[in-house]
Amino acid sequence: MNKFIKITEQNSKYNSIENKSVDLILKEINCEDQSVAYNIKRELDSIEKVIHEAIKCLKNNGRIFYIGSGTSGRMGILDASECLPTFGVKDAIIGIIAGGDKAIRN
């Protein structure tokens, strides 16, 4: 299995979340939040390599595609749409969502 893929649907600490107290849910979420920075730090070298490759591709008229479904698809489209006004990148960053335009709002 790819080291970047974590199966959240199996053996999750969030199974039966509706039976937990708000206090316990908040503590569990906070614990997960704290792991984000640590895990990113472990992958900084890999992230840097990907960024340099993306820059090379973009300089050679390449494109970056955000592809997703549901919430992740919507977030990808939102991020892609900000690249032109924020970075001046025109037509190089493309957001694609399963279900097409209708799925952005529904």
Side-chain angles (χ1 to χ4, degrees), residues 2-4 8 17 38 49 53 66 81 93 95:
N2 184 314
K3 68 179 180 176
F4 298 108
T8 57
I17 194 169
Y38 170 77
K49 288 176 187 173
E53 286 299 314
Y66 284 81
S81 71
I93 314 296

Side-chain angles (χ1 to χ4, degrees), residues 58-72:
L58 288 171
K59 284 183 176 181
N60 288 311
N61 296 318
R63 297 178 292 173
I64 294 174
F65 290 86
Y66 284 81
I67 302 172
S69 62
T71 300
S72 62

Side-chain angles (χ1 to χ4, degrees), residues 5 18 23-24 52 56 68 71 78 80 92:
I5 297 174
E18 67 278 5
D23 179 62
L24 180 58
H52 285 297
K56 261 199 293 190
T71 300
L78 177 64

Side-chain angles (χ1 to χ4, degrees), residues 12-31:
S12 171
K13 70 173 85 174
Y14 302 108
N15 289 343
S16 302
I17 194 169
E18 67 278 5
N19 298 322
K20 295 181 178 183
S21 69
V22 171
D23 179 62
L24 180 58
I25 294 168
L26 289 173
K27 287 177 180 171
E28 288 178 344
I29 290 171
N30 183 251
C31 184

